[in-house]
Every structure is written in structure tokens, then in C-alpha cells.
Amino acid sequence: MKEISCKLLVIGAGPGGYVCAIRAGQLGVDTVIVETGKPGGTCLNVGCIPSKALIHAAEEFEKVAHMAGGDSPLGISVAAPALDLARTVAWKDGIVSRLNSGVAGLLKKAGVKTVHGWATFRDGKTVEVETETGMQVIRAEMIVIATGSAPVELPFLPFGGPVISSTDALALGEVPKRLVVVGGGYIGLELGMAFAKMGARVTVVEALPRVLAQYDAELTRPVVKRLSALGIEVMTGAKAKGLSTKGDALLVETSDGKNAKIAADKILVTVGRKPVTEGWGLEQIDLDKAGRFIRIDDQCRTSMRGIFAIGDVTGEPMLAHRAMAQGEMVAEIVAGHKRGWDKRSIPAVCFTDPELVTAGLSPEEAKTRGEIKIGVFPFAANGRAMTRLGEDGFVRVVARADNHLVLGIQAVGQGVSELSTAFGLALEMGARLEDIAGTIHSHPTQGEGFQEAALKALGHALHI
């Protein structure tokens, strides 16, 4: 049995873990990172990156298919396209592989030692790792838990056979003719819309009264409109009950209490994610929990001295960039720097069609803090959106009525994910409506909608 010692041990090489390890290494901290799979975690390997690759491929295929119909307003006509999904997946895998190698190289460059295997706590300072070459014991002064999350499995729809998780969906060799998506959240709709564009007949089953319930109805209206245009059937207020006897259909209780059977070649279950808190010896250490998650303070410290936790294992929002920011902060704390977690904004993006972006407070949340001003600018009045055939959607700015401090920014529209950085920066810098309105925005861009929304809130929009 081999033993090594280090100042910092990071368990999990997802976005939070590898960023924490790299930053610690840069600061001269003797660091070891343990990962059972490939570096990059869910985000890089079976989440953010591969799903966006598949979404992009679907968008491109739909564009060509639309042009083949002969009614493209751009005047472009082409032959009917064909899709080789296996080749698409291979392209996606190539991107993932390049990024895997990049992360591994960055860890090595920072002087971080990587141990491949599953880590299990012996106590608050020691873990053992089952590697291919035997047991490795690691003793550390401080430990960061960055074990991430996993898809939630329904007891009456266990993964296997026709029932697939988001991970499985990203590795399919062919487009299913009939796809049923259980769960109308962002993961379900992102993938459901992508497969619909690639030719699948898609049905979404959502137990709540509407899809994308975490966003306000005004923001999601263009997405609901697009779901209909893609031919996706949406069943709200409906509950999945299980798999048919033959395994070729989903049994559903509809909103009016009736039983229904939806034919399906694949059933994609996307009802949320859960923290990975089992299998690594949690019972050997005494950590306070916040529900299913590990409880942390504003420096990501757990209830046990010398142990930190970051990312999905610590709760919502389960976002890669949140984990990265936490990881960077913890590394600097370990290196002796003074840091704390006080973020005004953690932007969230939903890569549906059209895309959704939220940063800061929603109008309803802001109203609880006092009187507010709201400015909305539609992309139907934006020249760049018109030239991209993307007029559906808008930018909305929410600010205090008294001093015009911006509290929240939301947008829905084609490509608005790229505006999320500007939204987050405005909130972090404490921008007021006048700051945004007075900033010269490039023309013609969709970003002009941000400026116009601020002008609208001030009462003098120029282009609407």
C-alpha cells in the first residue's frame, strides 16, 4: 500500500475541482486531485459541452432542412439533407477528448499530481484510493469535496433499455423515431428540441402546470411557441407512471386524471440531479447537511475543520461556472489569501430555442425589496435580430425605482447566451440604469437591446 502526503487534496476533477487544483498549484500549494473518470466531470464529458455540440448540430440540420423545403426567405435552396448521428456523436466526442487533454495538461502545468481512482474517506485527513495498480493512501492538511451530481432516477422508470438519462441521450447512434421526455425543465427541453430538429417525434411530459417553471411565464412564452412550431407535444399537469408491459410506451396519468399510453422508442428521464454523497465514506466524517447537500459557509467551509465543499454537492444553483468560482476562491483561501463568497449574480443560461438568460433578481423577487422600474426591449425592433431571422424575444432590465440600481436582467432570444457576461458584469459592478444607457453599444448587434431596455426603464427608449 502506497502513501503520499500533500497540503491540499481535491476529490473530483469536474469544473470546480480542476479549477481549484489548478489555481492552488499556481499559488505554490502542494496539491493532489483524485478522479475516477476523465477530467472535466459531468460538464465536459456528459453535460454542458457535449449537449451544446449536439444542439448546434441539430440547429444546422434544421436550417438545411428548412432550405430544402424551398421557402427560405434568404433565397437559398438545397437538396434534402441526411443526418449520420453516429458521425455527429464522433465529432462531439472529439471535442470532449481535446478538452479532456487540455484539462489534464493544465493540471500538469500547475504541478498538480493526479491520482486515478475512487476516493474513500478514512477520517478527516486521510483518504484511500482504489487505483488500477492497488490501494493508494493520501494524507492531506486540507481537503476539498467536489464530487458533483448525477441524474435522478425514478423508481418506476429505472435507467436501462428504452429508458435513458441525459448521459445516454448524448451517446445515441441514431435518432429515435419517437422520443418521450419526462420532465420539462431546461435539460429535457434542450435535448427534446434538438432531437425534434433532427427528425424525432417528441412528446414532453411535465407534472407541473407549465414547462420551465423556474422562469416566469413571460420569459418562456417564445420557447413554448417554438415547441409548438417544432411539432413537439407538451403534456403539462401529467404524471409518468411507468413503462408499458412491452416496453414500447410510457404510461401517463393526464391532467384530467385519465390514463394514457404514449408510444416511444426511447424515454428520456430528466427530472433533476442529485448530489453524489454516497460511496466515498461520508459516514467516516461528521459533516452537517442542508437537506441532501453538504452545508457550507461563505468560504465553502464545511462543519469539519480543514474540509471544504464546492459545486453541485453543495446545492443550487447547479452550474459549472458557480463551481469554478468557488474552486478558485477555496484555492486562494488555502494559499493564505483573504477571500469570501459574495456574488451579486450567477448568470444562468437555458440553451433552448430561443435561448434564455437570467442574472440577478426576477421582477417578482425584486418587488419584495421595494418599488422597481422595468424596461423591456423586443428583438422585433432590433436590426441585427431581423437579419438573423431571430425576432422572437426581448431583453428585460429590472432596477430600483429610487436610485436606478440594476437588480436583475433577463433575456430570451436567438443567441442571447452570449449576452450573459455583460449582464453579470453589470450586476457585479453595481451598474445603474444610466450606466447601461450611457454606454455606447456596437451597431448592429443584439446587445443594443440591453441598452434600449435600460433607456426604456428610464422613460426615453430611442427605437421603440
Side-chain angles (χ1 to χ4, degrees), residues 154-158 163 182 239-245 247-253 260-262 267:
L154 295 172
F156 49 86
L157 280 174
V163 182
V182 179
K239 299 177 181 177
K241 307 299 286 186
L243 198 61
S244 65
T245 304
D248 60 352
L250 176 70
L251 305 178
V252 176
E253 181 183 319
K261 183 185 290 188
I262 309 172
I267 298 170

Side-chain angles (χ1 to χ4, degrees), residues 309-321:
I310 60 176
D312 289 3
V313 77
T314 65
E316 298 288 352
M318 290 187 179
L319 298 170
H321 44 284

Side-chain angles (χ1 to χ4, degrees), residues 81-357:
L83 178 67
D84 182 348
L85 186 60
R87 187 173 178 182
T88 304
V89 169
W91 166 73
K92 175 265 294 181
D93 290 343
I95 293 173
V96 171
S97 179
R98 284 165 56 197
L99 290 171
N100 284 145
S101 299
V103 172
L106 290 169
L107 288 166
K108 184 176 181 180
K109 180 181 177 182
V112 177
K113 177 178 175 57
T114 300
V115 177
H116 297 283
W118 187 270
T120 305
F121 276 95
R122 282 187 176 180
D123 55 46
K125 297 289 185 183
T126 312
V127 302
E128 55 185 28
V129 183
E130 187 64 53
T131 70
E132 291 183 353
T133 57
M135 187 66 72
Q136 173 86 68
V137 175
I138 305 173
R139 303 187 190 281
E141 292 180 33
M142 283 171 275
I143 298 176
V144 176
I145 298 169
T147 50
S149 62
V152 171
E153 185 177 48
L154 295 172
F156 49 86
L157 280 174
F159 296 133
V163 182
I164 60 175
S165 67
S166 56
T167 299
D168 303 318
L170 294 170
L172 291 174
E174 60 183 13
V175 178
K177 291 183 173 62
R178 302 165 301 178
L179 175 68
V180 175
V181 179
V182 179
Y186 73 96
I187 297 175
L189 292 195
E190 284 181 3
L191 293 177
M193 295 179 94
F195 279 105
K197 290 177 180 180
M198 291 187 286
R201 181 178 176 182
V202 178
T203 302
V204 176
V205 177
E206 171 55 57
L208 295 175
R210 62 185 185 87
V211 296
L212 297 174
Q214 66 269 48
Y215 301 98
D216 64 81
E218 183 182 10
L219 198 62
T220 60
R221 194 169 291 118
V223 179
V224 173
K225 176 183 174 183
R226 183 68 170 129
L227 287 168
S228 177
L230 287 170
I232 297 174
E233 181 182 359
V234 179
M235 299 176 65
T236 54
K239 299 177 181 177
K241 307 299 286 186
L243 198 61
S244 65
T245 304
K246 293 183 179 180
D248 60 352
L250 176 70
L251 305 178
V252 176
E253 181 183 319
T254 63
S255 57
D256 56 6
K258 296 180 180 179
N259 293 322
K261 183 185 290 188
I262 309 172
D265 299 298
K266 294 292 182 183
I267 298 170
L268 171 59
V269 177
T270 58
V271 293
R273 297 184 65 83
K274 61 182 180 181
V276 178
T277 56
E278 297 179 358
W280 43 267
L282 180 63
E283 64 277 3
Q284 300 300 320
I285 54 178
D286 184 23
L287 297 183
D288 288 350
K289 303 286 284 296
R292 298 179 301 169
F293 303 102
I294 297 174
R295 185 176 65 80
I296 56 172
D297 66 7
D298 62 359
Q299 291 186 314
C300 292
R301 294 176 299 191
T302 69
S303 58
M304 195 167 182
R305 185 185 298 273
I307 298 182
F308 299 81
I310 60 176
D312 289 3
V313 77
T314 65
E316 298 288 352
M318 290 187 179
L319 298 170
H321 44 284
R322 169 180 175 263
M324 290 176 172
Q326 288 177 322
E328 181 183 11
M329 176 190 69
V330 169
E332 295 188 359
I333 290 171
V334 170
H337 296 205
K338 291 184 178 180
R339 285 291 306 273
W341 181 259
D342 182 22
K343 293 292 177 184
R344 288 174 180 261
S345 167
I346 305 176
V349 180
C350 179
F351 290 87
T352 46
D353 180 10
E355 295 174 345
L356 296 167
V357 174

